[in-house]
Amino acid sequence: MGKRIVIALGGNALGNNLPEQMIAVKQTSKAIADLIEEGHEVIIAHGNGPQVGMIQNAMTELTRSDPQKYIPCPLSVCVAMSQGYIGYDLQNGLREELLDRGIDKGVATVLTQVEVDPADPAFSNPTKPIGAFMTKEEADKLVAERDYNVIEDAGRGYRRVVASPRPQSIIEIDSIRDMVEAGLVVVACGGGGIPVYKTEGHHLKGAAAVIDKDFASCVLAKQVEADTLIILTAVEKVAINFGKPNEQWLDELTPEQARKYMSEGHFAPGSMLPKVQAAVEFAESAPGRSALITLLEKAKDGVAGKTGTAIHQ
Ligand code: ADP
Ligand code: MG
């Protein structure tokens, strides 16, 4: 029987620039279509690191060109733009791949807002560098005028750093669910979602933050009651002693084992650690749920239990 699967696409599924993305999306579409062809319901989430950086740089240059005319573009708007642009490529790529296989299924992107807690400690400890490198003078100006947080990034210049708060809930979840129930392939929570928080009444305000797509995918998978969360990345399996002579690739991982390995520091923060954390959180969220971390090209084999690291109770 078909499963309901949330797929979280990593950077290697989308490439680093416009032409790379076009090519990468073709391969990505094949991997996703394989699962749809097998009768699974698929919901797609994705990262946006290079894309949101590119958009933010472009908007910054625009402001620099005429600061009176073009006021700085909020980061939440840049995330929304990246969702639109990546969704466009994914819709196109998947549509073509499905039609080539004789599958008549709609593919639609939902611009997704994700609620964050304005009291999240991440807001007072911004860690994620984004956008263009700046001179000290430019950085000081932004700090003074816009209250931005800026760091000196490894001798290469100054960069804005933003908060990466935990996602709480998905604003458009009912629409996403309805579309999935209607048989559509949905792309949602791109780039971790547009971070927003509630202010007065029903108003949602965009936050200057970038949510981790691994955590957002976990919330999405829980909220659509998925059976499986698949995190597709640049490695076939999760390892302990990663990159060391005694490296050991893992086929299976229980939440208990994962917690032990996390406490021993086996998974790098900012890359593998959020994936394992998200996988554990999803696997523990209800009986029968499992997560899989594997390579994009191995998605089908992974679902068949042939490869990847499966995380379940
Ligand atoms: P994505 O864009 O898919 O989120 P990341 O680069 O953030 O990709 O994370 C995947 C990377 O994590 C792998 O390519 C690998 O280099 C790194 N990594 C860190 N620790 C581990 C580990 N313990 N096992 C496997 N990969 C790891
Ligand atoms: Mg990552």
Side-chain angles (χ1 to χ4, degrees):
M1 218 193 78
K3 288 178 178 167
R4 181 170 288 187
I5 300 175
V6 168
I7 297 182
L9 300 174
N12 67 328
L14 298 169
N16 286 307
N17 54 42
L18 280 92
E20 270 185 34
Q21 182 169 310
M22 281 257 280
I23 296 163
V25 162
K26 269 200 190 307
Q27 289 312 114
T28 303
S29 298
K30 286 193 202 315
I32 296 169
D34 283 347
L35 299 179
I36 295 170
E37 203 164 35
E38 289 187 333
H40 301 298
E41 274 178 333
V42 172
I43 300 122
I44 304 158
H46 59 81
N48 73 346
Q51 295 83 0
V52 80
M54 176 186 82
I55 292 166
Q56 224 251 343
N57 286 348
M59 299 313 284
T60 304
E61 287 307 317
L62 186 70
T63 304
R64 279 178 183 167
S65 73
D66 188 347
Q68 301 304 318
K69 191 166 166 194
Y70 302 111
I71 63 160
C73 179
L75 188 55
S76 50
V77 176
C78 296
V79 174
M81 290 178 180
S82 77
Q83 287 188 350
Y85 157 53
I86 296 168
Y88 161 50
D89 267 4
L90 282 172
Q91 280 178 205
N92 237 340
L94 252 181
R95 174 186 174 274
E96 183 178 341
E97 186 62 33
L98 291 174
L99 286 175
D100 285 352
R101 296 181 191 209
I103 301 169
D104 182 16
K105 240 182 185 322
V107 186
T109 302
V110 177
L111 292 183
T112 317
Q113 302 176 89
V114 170
E115 194 180 349
V116 296
D117 179 358
D120 191 307
F123 280 107
S124 44
N125 179 29
T127 50
K128 194 170 172 54
I130 57 148
F133 287 95
M134 298 177 283
T135 63
K136 183 159 191 341
E137 292 66 45
E138 286 171 322
D140 286 345
K141 195 159 173 269
L142 281 182
V143 172
E145 287 176 6
R146 308 216 128 244
D147 211 17
Y148 280 7
N149 290 287
V150 167
I151 56 151
E152 208 280 326
D153 194 346
R156 295 175 296 178
Y158 291 77
R159 267 182 112 186
R160 182 176 176 199
V161 279
V162 298
S164 195
R166 287 296 187 114
Q168 304 293 323
S169 67
I170 297 165
I171 303 294
E172 287 79 13
I173 193 64
D174 291 338
S175 307
I176 294 168
R177 233 187 253 124
D178 287 350
M179 291 164 79
V180 172
E181 293 294 336
L184 298 180
V185 180
V186 181
V187 180
C189 289
I194 305 161
V196 296
Y197 57 91
K198 290 189 173 129
T199 56
E200 262 153 57
H202 292 108
H203 188 69
L204 295 173
K205 188 169 166 28
V210 173
I211 301 169
D212 192 297
K213 69 106 179 34
D214 298 316
F215 294 135
S217 306
C218 172
V219 176
L220 176 64
K222 287 198 285 190
Q223 290 200 309
V224 296
E225 293 178 22
D227 303 298
T228 310
L229 168 65
I230 307 184
I231 301 178
L232 297 179
T233 185
V235 284
E236 186 164 343
K237 294 179 186 183
V238 179
I240 49 171
N241 301 308
F242 179 67
K244 296 185 187 151
N246 57 344
E247 178 179 76
Q248 190 190 331
W249 299 100
L250 306 170
D251 297 322
E252 273 181 312
L253 199 50
T254 64
E256 292 71 32
Q257 286 169 325
R259 265 190 282 274
K260 178 172 172 283
Y261 294 146
M262 283 191 265
S263 70
E264 292 168 2
H266 287 284
F267 314 126
S271 62
M272 190 46 75
L273 182 60
K275 296 182 204 318
V276 175
Q277 287 173 324
V280 166
E281 189 179 326
F282 180 70
E284 286 188 319
S285 63
R289 287 183 178 171
S290 66
L292 175 74
I293 300 174
T294 193
L295 268 181
L296 175 69
E297 308 79 285
K298 299 284 178 177
K300 187 177 167 181
D301 286 348
V303 172
K306 292 180 193 161
T307 189
T309 304
I311 298 98
H312 52 77
Q313 283 184 312

